[in-house]
């Protein structure tokens, strides 16, 4: 029987995950089916229960249910524990659902392996302090940057995150104007600003001619943050489509114990 997988979220109709996992399954010869399921607010637990009862083997969880999925998981990986959010559930026959978070490793793989952007020993600026930012801090610090500055519109949230993760590496939290006068090797946008076509109000100094700008969001057109980086003369300014494919590959590996080749899938999505 074909194994069933799905992504749950709201909204979820435009998710690229079914396309990505279908391409992975075809490439690796795995007999599996992957759909998108829209879940009503507060409805995650019953939706997961129903999916599991109908033979579901694993789930991706997207906005706004990643914290709910964290609470639902009976066991969690260390990285999910630190992220405070779960984007992947492995559904166990006995109902002991395992929760993991593959977003951070997806970001790091896309930056380092696909783009060739080194993080070790570099000065990193992470913009935003919501769930998306929180999910990538531990994997970024694991790369041993010289410094990770978290800058957020609400400074107190960035300061609190820096305090929470300070045992893992050199990390500082501040408001958006906090980095004034400093420049960074890599600037990662983890805010929701791109959704409304705006860009966080960062000081001009942060971008130099060697800087990488990376937007965790993506779109058919360059995002506002990608355009912002280009306009300020960053060496590279790229969106997060590769991160999406890499986090999916890591989920696929957890479910199927097979690692798909992400390059052709990223290329195919770009060409669509
Ligand atoms: P997510 O789970 O996607 O991170 P979130 O937890 O609501 O969503 O966090 C959204 C992040 O985007 C926050 O860091 C938010 O800043 P505040 O903490 O000050 O609200 C940031 N954000 C949203 N719109 C923004 C904008 N127009 N400019 C700058 N930051 C913005």
């Amino acid at each position: 029987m074909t194994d069933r997988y799905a992504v749950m979220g709201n909204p979820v109709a435009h998710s690229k995950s079914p396309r990505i996992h279908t391409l992975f399954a075809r490439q690796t010869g795995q007999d599996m089916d992957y759909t998108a399921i829209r879940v009503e607010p507060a409805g995650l637990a019953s939706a997961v229960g129903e999916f599991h009862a109908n033979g579901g083997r694993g789930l991706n969880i997207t906005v706004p249910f990643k914290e709910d999925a964290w609470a639902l998981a009976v066991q969690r990986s260390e990285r999910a524990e630190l992220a405070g959010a779960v984007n992947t559930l492995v559904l166990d026959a006995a109902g002991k659902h395992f929760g993991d978070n593959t977003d951070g490793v997806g970001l790091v793989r896309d930056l380092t392996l696909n783009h060739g952007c080194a993080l070790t020993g570099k000065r990193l600026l992470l913009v935003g302090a919501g769930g998306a930012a929180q999910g990538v801090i531990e994997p970024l610090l694991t790369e041993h940057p010289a410094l990770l500055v978290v800058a957020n519109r609400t400074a107190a949230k960035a300061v609190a995150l820096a305090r929470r993760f300070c045992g893992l590496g050199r990390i500082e939290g501040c408001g958006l104007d906090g980095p004034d006068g400093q420049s960074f090797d890599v600037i990662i946008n983890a805010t929701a600003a791109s959704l409304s076509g705006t860009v966080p109000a960062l000081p001009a100094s942060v971008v130099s001619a060697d800087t990488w700008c990376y937007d965790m969001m993506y779109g058919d057109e360059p995002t506002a943050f990608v355009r912002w980086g280009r306009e300020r003369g960053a060496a590279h300014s790229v969106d997060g489509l590769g991160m999406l494919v890499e986090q999916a590959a890591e989920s696929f590996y957890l479910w199927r114990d097979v690692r798909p080749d992400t390059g052709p899938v990223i290329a195919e999505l770009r060409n669509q």
Side-chain angles (χ1 to χ4, degrees):
M1 209 174 98
T2 301
D3 292 334
R4 293 186 62 209
Y5 296 85
V7 55
M8 288 186 173
N10 191 346
V12 80
H14 294 103
S15 169
K16 292 188 191 295
S17 293
R19 179 91 189 114
I20 293 169
H21 283 282
T22 301
L23 289 170
F24 286 167
R26 194 181 302 158
Q27 183 198 83
T28 59
Q30 297 286 305
D31 184 15
M32 58 188 277
D33 173 64
Y34 189 110
T35 55
I37 299 174
R38 184 169 168 272
V39 171
E40 294 307 318
L44 186 74
S46 61
V48 171
E50 191 185 328
F51 186 72
H52 183 230
N54 289 318
R57 298 278 304 273
L59 287 165
N60 281 131
I61 306 294
T62 188
V63 178
F65 297 114
K66 291 184 187 181
E67 284 83 8
D68 291 358
W70 185 91
L72 203 63
V74 177
Q75 300 167 50
R76 288 183 288 264
S77 67
E78 200 185 329
R79 61 192 181 191
E81 203 66 40
L82 284 163
V86 155
N87 79 334
T88 308
L89 284 170
V90 182
L91 304 180
D92 168 69
K96 285 190 183 149
H97 305 326
F98 174 75
D100 201 349
N101 192 315
T102 65
D103 287 329
V105 74
L107 169 68
V108 168
R109 283 223 179 104
D110 191 41
L111 273 167
T112 59
L113 301 180
N114 297 337
H115 290 296
C117 167
L119 301 174
T120 307
K122 302 294 183 185
R123 292 170 52 81
L124 314 185
L125 175 60
L126 179 65
V127 192
Q134 186 174 315
V136 300
I137 292 177
E138 181 264 341
L140 287 173
L141 288 175
T142 300
E143 295 297 302
H144 302 292
L147 172 67
L148 173 61
V149 174
V150 182
N152 192 45
R153 186 172 59 182
T154 311
K157 282 163 70 179
V159 171
L161 277 186
R163 198 168 296 144
R164 202 174 127 208
F165 287 92
C166 67
L168 299 178
R170 198 166 156 228
I171 178 168
E172 292 170 7
C174 58
L176 291 177
D177 56 359
D180 197 12
Q182 302 178 50
S183 71
F184 292 84
D185 299 302
V186 187
I187 305 173
I188 299 162
N189 180 31
T191 72
S194 284
L195 286 177
S196 54
T198 57
V199 175
L202 291 165
S205 71
V206 295
V207 181
S208 77
D210 299 320
T211 302
W212 278 86
C213 288
Y214 189 101
D215 196 350
M216 283 169 53
M217 301 262 170
Y218 56 87
D220 293 337
E221 302 296 325
T223 65
F225 184 78
V226 168
R227 291 199 309 272
W228 176 88
R230 287 178 188 161
E231 285 157 12
R232 271 152 193 78
H236 310 271
S237 196
V238 296
D239 74 10
L241 182 69
M243 172 180 174
L244 177 78
V245 176
E246 292 296 338
Q247 64 79 30
E250 187 73 8
S251 298
F252 191 92
Y253 176 67
L254 280 168
W255 296 326
R256 310 298 298 186
D257 205 21
V258 176
R259 205 171 268 291
D261 184 4
T262 51
V265 175
I266 295 172
E268 179 150 352
L269 292 181
R270 275 281 176 230
N271 287 337
Q272 269 170 9

